[in-house]
Amino acid sequence: KKVKLLRYKCIGCRFCVSAAPELWQISRADGKVEPTDSPCEPDQDICTVTITDAYMSHVKESIEVCPETQLETSGNYYTYFYSINNHNL
């Protein structure tokens, strides 16, 4: 599955990293979340990462612990973003 991470809305709380350190890390450059396997450029507002089905439960857990993030389905993409109340997994 593809996950779009909208970094420009990240508040840097690190809860998603605590929930799934195998998927997410905090960028040293800008203090925002990024995928562990393909770090984002500091000015990159949106990252797209491929997540296997085995790790989708970790994505869900990341969302549940974060005070800001939600997950939305959009076609073949899951969009990891903020301020939308939709957990259609």
Side-chain angles (χ1 to χ4, degrees):
K1 307 239 188 283
K2 297 284 187 182
V3 174
K4 285 185 181 176
L5 181 62
L6 305 185
R7 299 179 70 248
Y8 63 91
K9 294 188 176 186
C10 177
I11 62 171
C13 69
R14 302 172 189 254
F15 291 160
C16 59
V17 175
S18 296
E22 63 282 355
L23 295 178
W24 316 119
Q25 65 188 12
I26 295 296
S27 167
R28 291 179 188 209
D30 63 8
K32 295 183 179 198
V33 68
E34 64 183 1
T36 56
D37 65 348
S38 56
C40 303
E41 295 297 323
D43 61 346
Q44 190 175 0
D45 288 339
I46 300 172
C47 290
T48 301
V49 64
T50 301
I51 304 289
T52 63
D53 288 339
Y55 283 103
M56 284 309 294
S57 63
H58 298 271
V59 172
K60 292 177 191 179
E61 186 176 347
S62 298
I63 291 161
E64 290 171 3
V65 299
C66 182
E68 298 294 328
T69 55
Q70 302 294 324
L71 192 71
E72 175 186 75
T73 57
S74 176
N76 292 329
Y77 285 87
Y78 288 95
T79 304
Y80 188 44
F81 71 114
Y82 302 80
S83 302
I84 298 224
N85 297 317
N86 188 355
H87 286 277
N88 296 328
L89 299 176

